[in-house]
């Protein structure tokens, strides 16, 4: 069986397992706690998972194209800090209202795209390994947040925070805005991945750079665009996250990169690139969110071990992918 045949067979095997795992987790949660399937808990789980989910959609494209980004959590913290500083600075002239909020959103999107382009430029143009580049920028962004906050916390003006809160807590027909935005990002991502030329170029780039080049795929541009897209989605996630707490600190976004990568791998995207599935990533996000929720609602395992559990899940998912490939 050829490499291409293996990769085509891998999606069906890798997605079926996560779907079964998701169903089992729902059954387990309902069995352990009667409030698990309550509307309030489900809404809370979906809203809290929206941040990681939005970022994970972008990470799906990066990994599919053969890349990796370890800086998204620190990037989100840095973007949140910039948003808060700019909005507070503009408050005396613009006042509390839509203009200052829109300014903050614009800052988040522009900063996210620029941060993603920086990662992509260093990786594609200078030829530095993605792991090294994003590990470095992870430390840079986290240090910048610490410096901007002077080791403490940056907070929105109280009146501005009150005005901005509905972006996280309100919505339409009982569905909060983070869930709606997450759903829209997923729909756009799935169309882009499965039906657009860009998605095919990402898969071709991740599968074999040489073959992609011979197929007239601009490998460097494709990879650069995936990092720019991921940066933009980090900005979108930050826009939805800031009104939740109204603050940013050096601890903001810690382990977000681990959760995003775990969700992508659990969902069936091949870690070495060549195949990606946005809907699979959504399943991965929900699995991680339900595990966290179950740990918080029960006393089975300490919630402080959530990071360890996610790490184990990543390792198991990669092992399963490797075994499925070997059997093919």
């Amino acid at each position: 069986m050829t490499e291409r045949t293996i990769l085509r067979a891998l999606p069906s095997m890798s997605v079926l397992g996560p779907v079964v795992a998701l169903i089992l987790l729902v059954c387990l949660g309902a069995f352990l706690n009667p409030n698990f399937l309550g509307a309030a808990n489900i809404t809370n789980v979906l809203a809290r998972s929206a941040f990681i989910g939005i970022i994970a959609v972008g990470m799906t494209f990066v990994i599919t194209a053969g890349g990796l980004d370890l800086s998204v959590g620190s990037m989100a913290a840095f973007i949140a800090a910039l948003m808060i500083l700019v909005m507070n600075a503009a408050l005396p002239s613009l006042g509390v209202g839509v203009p200052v909020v829109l300014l903050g959103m614009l800052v988040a999107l522009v900063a996210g795209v620029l941060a993603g382009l920086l990662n992509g430029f260093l990786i594609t143009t200078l030829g530095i390994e993605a792991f090294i580049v994003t590990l470095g920028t992870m430390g840079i962004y986290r240090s910048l947040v610490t410096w901007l906050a002077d080791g403490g916390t940056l907070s929105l003006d109280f009146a501005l925070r009150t005005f901005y809160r509905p972006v996280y807590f309100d919505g339409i027909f009982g569905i909060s805005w983070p869930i709606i935005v997450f759903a829209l990002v997923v729909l756009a991502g799935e169309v882009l991945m499965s039906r657009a030329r860009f998605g095919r170029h990402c898969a071709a780039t991740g599968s074999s750079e040489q073959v992609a080049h011979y197929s007239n795929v601009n490998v460097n541009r494709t990879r650069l665009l995936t990092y720019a897209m991921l940066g933009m989605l980090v900005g979108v996630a930050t826009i939805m996250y800031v009104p939740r707490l109204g603050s940013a600190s050096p601890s903001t976004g810690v382990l977000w990169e681990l959760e995003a990568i775990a969700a992508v791998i659990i969902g069936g995207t091949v870690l070495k690139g060549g195949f990606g599935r946005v809907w699979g990533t959504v399943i991965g996000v929900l699995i991680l969110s339900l595990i966290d929720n179950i740990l918080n609602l029960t006393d089975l395992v300490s919630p402080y071990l959530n990071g360890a559990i996610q790490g184990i899940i990543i390792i198991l998912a990669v092992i399963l992918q490797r075994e499925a490939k070997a059997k093919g």
Side-chain angles (χ1 to χ4, degrees):
M1 184 177 288
T2 65
E3 182 78 10
R4 181 174 295 182
T5 303
I6 292 173
L7 290 176
R8 285 178 177 176
L10 195 58
S12 59
M13 294 183 290
S14 60
V15 171
L16 180 60
V19 171
V20 173
L22 180 62
I23 294 173
L24 291 176
L25 277 174
V26 171
C27 294
L28 176 63
F31 173 75
L32 294 175
N33 194 305
N35 296 322
F36 179 78
L37 292 179
N41 186 59
I42 295 299
T43 301
N44 179 58
V45 169
L46 292 176
R48 290 172 66 90
S49 65
F51 312 124
I52 300 300
I54 292 170
I55 295 173
V57 170
M59 188 71 76
T60 304
F61 285 87
V62 169
I63 293 179
T64 299
L68 189 68
D69 196 333
L70 302 175
S71 68
V72 292
S74 300
M75 189 189 299
F78 177 62
I79 293 172
L82 283 181
M83 278 187 67
I84 291 171
L85 288 174
V86 170
M87 292 171 73
N88 284 342
L91 187 59
S93 58
L94 295 180
V96 177
V98 174
V100 71
V101 171
L102 291 179
L103 175 62
M105 292 179 175
L106 179 62
V107 167
L109 293 176
V110 172
V113 171
L114 291 178
L117 286 174
L118 174 62
N119 284 340
F121 173 79
L122 294 174
I123 293 166
T124 59
T125 304
L126 300 186
I128 308 174
E129 290 290 334
F131 176 83
I132 300 299
V133 169
T134 58
L135 185 65
T137 53
M138 176 179 69
I140 292 171
Y141 294 138
R142 190 67 66 185
S143 295
L144 286 174
V145 175
T146 305
W147 173 65
L148 290 173
D150 197 21
T153 301
L154 292 170
S155 299
L156 276 174
D157 176 87
F158 180 78
L160 184 56
R161 185 190 314 177
T162 302
F163 182 81
Y164 194 16
R165 278 173 61 87
V167 172
Y168 175 81
F169 291 97
D170 286 0
I172 302 175
F173 304 118
I175 304 174
S176 64
W177 288 117
I179 299 175
I180 295 172
V181 172
F182 179 30
L184 293 175
V185 169
V186 168
L187 289 173
E190 179 63 23
V191 170
L192 197 59
M193 179 66 79
S194 62
R195 299 184 180 275
R197 180 181 300 177
F198 180 67
R200 294 193 295 271
H201 285 185
C202 289
T205 299
S207 180
S208 173
E209 289 188 23
Q210 187 174 5
V211 173
H213 179 73
Y214 289 144
S215 302
N216 293 323
V217 175
N218 191 323
V219 172
N220 284 344
R221 185 177 64 183
T222 299
R223 280 223 176 99
L224 182 65
L225 288 175
T226 62
Y227 282 100
M229 178 191 297
L230 176 56
M232 180 189 69
L233 290 178
V234 172
V236 172
T238 306
I239 288 172
M240 310 309 300
Y241 178 81
V242 167
R244 178 170 173 257
L245 298 177
S247 62
S249 70
S251 63
T252 299
V254 170
L255 294 182
W256 280 17
E257 57 280 337
L258 176 63
E259 293 184 52
I261 294 171
V264 173
I265 303 306
I266 291 170
T269 295
V270 179
L271 182 59
K272 291 185 178 181
F275 175 81
R277 183 175 180 132
V278 173
W279 284 112
T281 295
V282 174
I283 295 173
V285 169
L286 294 177
I287 287 175
L288 293 176
S289 298
L290 289 179
I291 290 175
D292 184 48
N293 186 244
I294 291 172
L295 292 179
N296 288 327
L297 292 177
T298 65
D299 296 326
L300 293 177
V301 182
S302 171
Y304 297 116
L305 292 175
N306 193 27
I309 293 174
Q310 291 172 359
I312 293 172
I313 290 174
I314 292 177
I315 295 172
L316 291 177
V318 173
I319 291 174
L320 290 174
Q321 282 187 1
R322 183 175 299 177
E323 289 183 352
K325 182 177 178 180
K327 289 179 181 179

